[in-house]
Amino acid sequence: MKNCPIARREEALREREKSSEIEIARREDAIREREARIACLEGQVRRLGTPRLPPCTDDLHVRLKEVVARLPGWCPEEKAVWMADHIVQKGYKTATELGVYAGRSVFPIALAIAANQGHAVYAVDAWDNAVATSASINQPDDIWW
Ligand SMILES: C[S@@+](CC[C@H](N)C(=O)[O-])C[C@H]1O[C@@H](n2cnc3c(N)ncnc32)[C@H](O)[C@@H]1O
């Protein structure tokens, strides 16, 4: 019976059906995972609100203050002003920030680079909370993360 061509064909069809079902289940899992990730990111965006860039003015310090006031994060206004003045004074054309969060320090950096008619600002952050918390910062921040 096993060598019967019809039985072999039926067996082959059953095998194909089984592997198709496994593939469909795998794809459904991937879709569910992506939907959960999208929902999580949408929640984060809602919590952050939509930061708006300040109205255009050539006064770098005015723009810095507005950006710092609008964005959540750790960078105090004094630090933003100090970094921007330093960048302008040195005439830097590019910058890289490691540890960006919502941009409270990288936007001031970018405004200063733009004031220098610079080329690029690279903003780097961890791809996963576990990476972001691999080194302890301080207790309130660690708990927050
Ligand atoms: C204390 S927050 C400062 C954020 C921003 N510079 C500010 O002033 O608002 C530190 C940031 O560093 C990021 N971070 C921590 N470990 C990192 C890593 N290994 N690589 C890249 N970013 C990292 C965290 O995800 C977080 O966004």
Side-chain angles (χ1 to χ4, degrees):
M1 189 64 178
K2 262 197 169 176
N3 287 330
C4 162
I6 294 175
R8 279 207 307 274
R9 191 163 157 65
E10 280 177 355
E11 178 62 25
L13 281 174
R14 273 197 295 278
E15 283 297 318
R16 271 175 58 186
E17 262 175 28
K18 200 171 153 193
S19 50
S20 299
E21 279 167 12
I22 292 170
E23 181 58 19
I24 288 168
R26 198 184 63 74
R27 288 184 189 192
E28 281 174 350
D29 279 351
I31 289 168
R32 269 194 294 277
E33 211 172 279
R34 284 178 197 164
E35 282 173 349
R37 181 86 189 115
I38 288 166
C40 171
L41 290 171
E42 282 174 348
Q44 285 177 5
V45 169
R46 269 195 301 279
R47 279 196 296 282
L48 287 176
T50 309
R52 291 199 174 162
L53 288 176
C56 274
T57 155
D58 288 336
D59 188 328
L60 181 59
H61 284 190
V62 171
R63 299 189 77 186
L64 288 176
K65 279 177 195 166
E66 295 225 24
V67 162
V68 170
R70 281 163 195 258
L71 294 172
W74 280 258
C75 182
E77 187 185 307
E78 299 72 32
K79 181 176 159 186
V81 169
W82 186 90
M83 288 192 301
D85 285 347
H86 180 72
I87 289 166
V88 169
Q89 197 191 346
K90 294 284 181 186
Y92 295 137
K93 302 280 188 192
T94 62
T96 300
E97 178 172 73
L98 300 178
V100 176
Y101 185 57
R104 193 164 177 182
S105 50
V106 82
F107 274 96
I109 291 170
L111 287 171
I113 293 289
N116 287 348
Q117 297 182 330
H119 312 300
V121 174
Y122 301 97
V124 181
D125 209 282
W127 60 277
D128 187 273
N129 272 357
V131 176
T133 53
S134 59
S136 179
I137 308 170
N138 57 51
Q139 208 190 24
D141 284 350
D142 291 344
I143 291 167
W144 190 91
W145 286 110

